[in-house]
Amino acid sequence: MTSAARVRRPSTWLLGLAPLALVAALVVAFLAFDPPGLDRHGVPIENIAVERTVLRPGEIRLQLRNDGPDPVRIAQVIVNDAYIPTADISSPEVGRLGSSTIRIPYAWVEAQSYDISLLTSTGGTIAVPIAAATETPSGDAGFFGLMALLGLYVGVIPVTLGLLWLPWLRRVGPTAIRFLLALTVGLLLFLAVDATFEGLSIAGGGPQAFGGPALVILGAIAAFLVLSAADAWISARRGGTAGGRLALLIALGIGLHNLGEGLAIGSAYAIGELALGAFLVVGFALHNTTEGLAVVAPLANERPGWRRLALLGALAGAPAVLGAWVGGVAYSAPAAAFMLGLGVGAILQVALQILPAVRDGESGKALTPLTAGGLATGLAIMYATSLMV
C-alpha cells in the first residue's frame, strides 16, 4: 500500500462544517477588536407590546413583550390618571424579546373603559387602553367545557353534517362531480384568502419582533411542504384509493384552518368580545357545513364506512375545540398568525391536489365554463355564509 493511500481523507461532515467554522472565527476576531458602531447612542427606542390583558376581581394583569431593539425599564403605572404605587412588576427592565408581567391592584368596574399608561425610566409613555372591562374566564372545568361545546357547534357538528351529502353525490353523474370538485376548490380558495387576511391582521396588531406578518407566510410555506411530503409518503405506500387520499388531505387542511378559527373564537371570548348568540351559531353552522361537502366530494365513487367518515369529520372539525381552549387561556398573536398561516398553506396544497380531477376528459383543460361556474359558486357560497358569522 502506498503512502498516499494511507492518508485518511477528511470526513464529509468536517468538509461541510469547515466554511461555518471559518465564518465563526472571523466574527470572533472582528468582535475582539471592539470595532466602532456596535454600541447604540442617543435616545433609546422603546417599544412594548401588550400580549395579553387579564382582569380578575380587584386586579388588572398585563403581559408585556419588548418589541424594540433597546431594553425598556418600567418605572411607573398610571390608571385613569391615578398613580398606582403598589403595582407588582415581575421584571422592571425588559430586554429585547424579553417579557414582563405587571399586576395592578385596581377595583375596576364591569363594562367601564380604562386608560393605562406605563411610564418608562426615560419618560416615555406606553398606552394600554381597555375598551370595556370584563373578567377574564379562568381555565377551570366549566370554561373548558364551554369552549369544547362551542368548538363542537362551530366545527365538528357542521362538518359532520356536510358529510351527509355523500349519498347524493353517488347519484349524480361525472359532469356534476367535476362541477362539485371545482366548487370545492372555490370553497378552499375562499378559506385561504379569509385566513390570510385574518392572520395578517392579527400579526400586525401583535409583537413584530418575532416576524409579524411574515409568520403567516412562513406558516403557509411550512404547511404546504409538510402536506406535500405527507402526500408523497401516502402515495408511495400505495394504500387506499386516490379519492380516499385526497379526502384525507382535504380534511387535514380544513382542520388546520379550523384550528386557527377556534383560536380566534377562544381569545375573543376571553376578552368578552364574542357574542354567543343563536345567530352566530347558525352562521357558523351554515359556513362550515360546506366544508363537509369539500371533504366527501372526492369519495363520490367510493363507499367508505361510517368509521372512516367519522374520522374525517373529526380530523376536519375537532381542531376548532383545541384552538378554542388554547385561545381562551394562552392566546398569543404571533402563534395565532402562524397557525392561520398553517391553514392557508394546507388549503392551497389541497386545492392543487384537486385541480387534476376537474380537467375535462376531451380537451384536457382544467378551466372550462363548467369548472369556472363551480369555482364561482363555491366562492359565492362561502362569501354569503361568512356574512352571517
Side-chain angles (χ1 to χ4, degrees):
M1 183 178 294
T2 63
S3 59
R6 294 192 186 98
V7 178
R8 297 183 61 183
R9 294 184 177 181
S11 170
T12 303
W13 289 106
L14 291 177
L15 291 175
L17 293 175
L20 296 178
L22 292 175
V23 170
L26 287 174
V27 171
V28 171
F30 178 75
L31 296 177
F33 289 99
D34 192 19
L38 294 182
D39 296 330
R40 293 179 55 84
H41 300 283
V43 179
I45 300 175
E46 298 176 328
N47 191 0
I48 290 289
V50 180
E51 289 190 315
R52 185 173 173 84
T53 302
V54 178
L55 279 77
R56 298 279 185 250
E59 181 186 77
I60 301 175
R61 188 180 308 169
L62 305 176
Q63 295 180 6
L64 310 179
R65 177 75 62 179
N66 188 344
D67 206 22
D70 297 320
V72 178
R73 184 174 183 83
I74 305 298
Q76 295 180 355
V77 178
I78 297 176
V79 179
N80 283 3
D81 297 327
Y83 170 57
I84 310 297
T86 57
D88 179 18
I89 306 176
S90 63
S91 178
E93 182 169 298
V94 189
R96 175 170 169 76
L97 298 182
S99 64
S100 179
T101 301
I102 300 179
R103 291 177 174 84
I104 307 170
Y106 193 84
W108 54 271
V109 180
E110 185 81 17
Q112 293 294 319
S113 61
Y114 295 93
D115 292 319
I116 302 176
S117 298
L118 306 179
L119 271 63
T120 68
S121 58
T122 63
T125 302
I126 301 168
V128 184
I130 298 178
T134 182
E135 183 176 358
T136 303
S138 57
D140 53 12
F143 170 77
F144 283 107
L146 176 61
M147 290 295 98
L149 182 62
L150 184 60
L152 288 173
Y153 268 108
V154 304
V156 178
I157 293 177
V159 173
T160 304
L161 290 177
L163 300 180
L164 299 179
W165 265 308
L166 183 57
W168 172 72
L169 290 174
R170 293 197 185 111
R171 298 190 178 187
V172 298
T175 301
I177 293 296
R178 287 182 51 237
F179 176 84
L180 291 173
L181 287 174
L183 182 143
T184 298
V185 175
L187 301 178
L188 295 175
L189 290 179
F190 183 92
L191 291 177
V193 173
D194 182 63
T196 299
F197 282 110
E198 186 175 357
L200 293 175
S201 175
I202 292 175
Q208 303 299 300
F210 294 106
L215 289 172
V216 181
I217 308 302
L218 292 176
I221 295 174
F224 189 93
L225 295 177
V226 169
L227 235 64
S228 297
D231 178 53
W233 180 75
I234 294 173
S235 300
R237 294 184 63 189
R238 298 180 181 179
T241 62
R245 292 194 298 269
L246 186 55
L248 179 63
L249 290 175
I250 292 175
L252 180 59
I254 290 177
L256 289 175
H257 169 267
N258 284 335
L259 176 66
E261 189 174 81
L263 195 72
I265 291 173
S267 62
Y269 175 81
I271 60 177
E273 292 184 355
L274 184 64
L276 298 177
F279 190 72
L280 180 66
V281 174
V282 171
F284 271 119
L286 292 175
H287 188 66
N288 290 351
T289 300
T290 53
E291 297 176 357
L293 174 62
V295 173
V296 296
L299 301 175
N301 297 322
E302 301 181 16
R303 294 189 175 274
W306 65 269
R307 291 183 180 179
R308 185 179 177 188
L309 291 176
L311 177 62
L312 291 173
L315 185 62
V321 178
L322 176 61
W325 285 343
V326 175
V329 299
Y331 177 77
S332 169
F338 183 76
M339 289 182 183
L340 286 167
L342 290 177
V344 172
I347 288 172
L348 291 178
Q349 202 279 339
V350 170
L352 289 178
Q353 293 289 329
I354 299 176
L355 284 179
V358 302
R359 293 186 182 277
D360 182 64
E362 297 180 359
S363 64
K365 295 181 179 180
L367 190 61
T368 63
L370 177 70
T371 56
L375 283 169
T377 303
L379 291 170
I381 289 175
M382 293 302 282
Y383 174 75
T385 55
S386 69
L387 296 179
M388 302 185 65
V389 177

